[in-house]
Amino acid sequence: MTDAPRPAGAIPTLEDVARAAGVSRATVSRVVNGVRNVDPAIQEAVRQAVSVTGYAPNRAARSLVTRRAETIALVVSGAGIEEDADEGSFTARVFADPFFGRVVTGVVNYLRPRGMHPVLMFAETSRARDEVVSYVRQGSADGALIVSTHAQDPLPALIADAGLPAVLYARPSRPARISHVDLDHREGARLAAAHLLARGCRRVATISGPMDLPVGQERLAGFRDTMAQHGHEEVAVAEGLFTQESGEVAMERLLAEHPDLDGVFAANDLMAVGACHVLREHGRRVPDDVALIGFDDSSVAASCRPSLTTVRQPVEDMAAEMARLLLDRLTAPNRPATSVLFEPVLVVRNSA
């Protein structure tokens, strides 16, 4: 007996996929729901049948089987505590920095092929942080990927204390039982210092990141240590905020205090771009008069004129690793917190 053809316009069902793949409905269900102990050849047959039939799993029904929301909270968190904090200003600063776009790219590219979807959340107030914790605790998301923008941010500890699955971008400023990915920032700053010295720079300054953040402290320490090892005990420092505007302010200060400087290391690309603008306004040629190095290898590094020599932070790869660690934690809830350290690479362009 031949099965009646499916009416035109009808929504494909598990039975349609099973007929196309030549397997049982139960087998299709197991493959669609990610059950691991299915023969790889059968899995491939089912995937092809899904593609041919156009079947789309019912997310609500699938959640009942897997007990998962298939959603991950991607949280950009600060340390604001006032309920009337300027939320628009916070989100504007986030979207102005290419770093955050790279994080989203890495997370989405890892999660999407695995049937998982990120939900972007901002946690710049105590109320917003409570909302994030409740969102994950109530099962609206299976876990959280957290990018913290402030050393005093309490969210990582709140998430860890609640026993919720989460991974943090960068080492937490305060102890917390939470997995994280990070970069060897000291090594990256060492690469920048060594390159300036190899160019013959002898009157070198640096625009540091915020000194209340571990990343700012580590990059400054790595740069200073390397310069000291080569006989340069004193290095001029102006603190920035990882924004282009703060880079401009810092460069103005450095030029006023050290007009004969011949090399600058900025602790991120945005500040380096700001420094480049100021150097140009003061008639200093980059790199002929002042060699300039940034950090991150973001999109602004290539578009800067001259193009920016910088230390590459593989943000997309690090964000994908965050997602991988989180999915591993969902598979094995008792797995202890872990950390993954990435290595930086110097990308030489035209500014140094």
Side-chain angles (χ1 to χ4, degrees), residues 10 37 105 142 170 195 244 247 251 255 277 284 289 334 349:
N37 60 340
T105 297
D142 298 314
H195 188 71
Q244 181 173 325
M251 192 70 251
L255 281 177
H277 289 171
R284 306 297 177 89
D289 299 325
N334 295 324
R349 295 195 178 95

Side-chain angles (χ1 to χ4, degrees), residues 35 94 144 187 202 262-263 303 309 341:
V35 177
V94 168
E187 172 62 14
R202 294 296 178 264
D262 61 2
S303 61
T309 292
L341 188 67

Side-chain angles (χ1 to χ4, degrees), residues 8 18 23 25 30 61 88 91 102 119-120 159 166 172 196 202 215 217 245 250 259-260 264-265 276 330 342:
V23 298
R25 183 185 187 281
R30 291 166 66 198
T91 55
R102 296 176 66 190
V119 172
L120 183 61
I159 289 283
L196 289 175
R202 294 296 178 264
V215 60
Q217 299 164 9
E245 293 76 14
D260 61 342
V264 176
F265 166 55
C276 190
L330 296 179
F342 284 73

Side-chain angles (χ1 to χ4, degrees), residues 206-212 237-243 246-247 250 253 271:
T206 181
I207 302 173
S208 76
M211 285 296 94
D212 61 347
V237 180
E239 184 176 351
L241 300 173
F242 285 147
T243 64
S246 70
R253 175 185 158 191
M271 294 193 299

Side-chain angles (χ1 to χ4, degrees), residues 95-148:
F95 287 119
D97 190 333
F99 166 81
F100 295 101
R102 296 176 66 190
V103 171
V104 172
T105 297
V107 169
V108 169
N109 287 348
Y110 187 86
L111 291 180
R112 186 163 52 187
R114 292 160 177 82
M116 304 289 285
H117 306 277
V119 172
L120 183 61
M121 304 183 74
F122 295 95
E124 72 284 13
T125 66
S126 57
R127 181 182 61 204
R129 285 189 288 274
D130 290 341
E131 290 173 353
V132 169
V133 174
S134 296
Y135 191 80
V136 180
R137 177 180 279 145
Q138 294 170 4
S140 297
D142 298 314
L145 301 173
I146 304 172
V147 182
S148 186

Side-chain angles (χ1 to χ4, degrees), residues 3 8 16 26-27 33 38 48 68 78 99 103 129 150 155 170 231 246 252-253 271 285 291 299 346:
D3 292 328
D16 296 323
T27 297
N33 289 309
V38 178
Q48 290 182 8
R68 290 188 185 173
F99 166 81
V103 171
R129 285 189 288 274
H150 199 285
L155 182 61
S246 70
E252 290 280 7
R253 175 185 158 191
M271 294 193 299
R285 297 169 300 165
S299 58
L346 182 70

Side-chain angles (χ1 to χ4, degrees), residues 146-280:
I146 304 172
V147 182
S148 186
T149 64
H150 199 285
Q152 301 306 314
D153 181 11
L155 182 61
L158 290 173
I159 289 283
D161 291 345
L164 301 173
V167 180
L168 184 64
Y169 192 106
R171 173 171 57 89
S173 301
R174 295 181 288 184
R177 298 183 305 278
I178 186 170
S179 295
H180 70 272
V181 302
D182 206 349
L183 185 77
D184 189 341
H185 299 286
R186 283 184 181 244
E187 172 62 14
R190 186 198 70 76
L191 293 173
H195 188 71
L196 289 175
L197 290 170
R199 284 185 56 89
C201 297
R202 294 296 178 264
R203 297 174 299 281
V204 176
T206 181
I207 302 173
S208 76
M211 285 296 94
D212 61 347
L213 288 177
V215 60
Q217 299 164 9
E218 291 291 301
R219 292 179 187 179
L220 178 59
F223 189 76
R224 274 178 160 167
D225 289 348
T226 303
M227 296 301 296
Q229 290 169 11
H230 290 81
H232 300 270
E233 299 291 341
E234 298 296 328
V235 174
V237 180
E239 184 176 351
L241 300 173
F242 285 147
T243 64
Q244 181 173 325
E245 293 76 14
S246 70
E248 293 173 354
V249 171
M251 192 70 251
E252 290 280 7
R253 175 185 158 191
L254 288 172
L255 281 177
E257 298 176 356
H258 307 276
D260 61 342
L261 60 80
D262 61 2
V264 176
F265 166 55
N268 85 335
D269 290 341
L270 283 176
M271 294 193 299
V273 169
C276 190
H277 289 171
V278 170
L279 288 168
R280 186 181 300 118

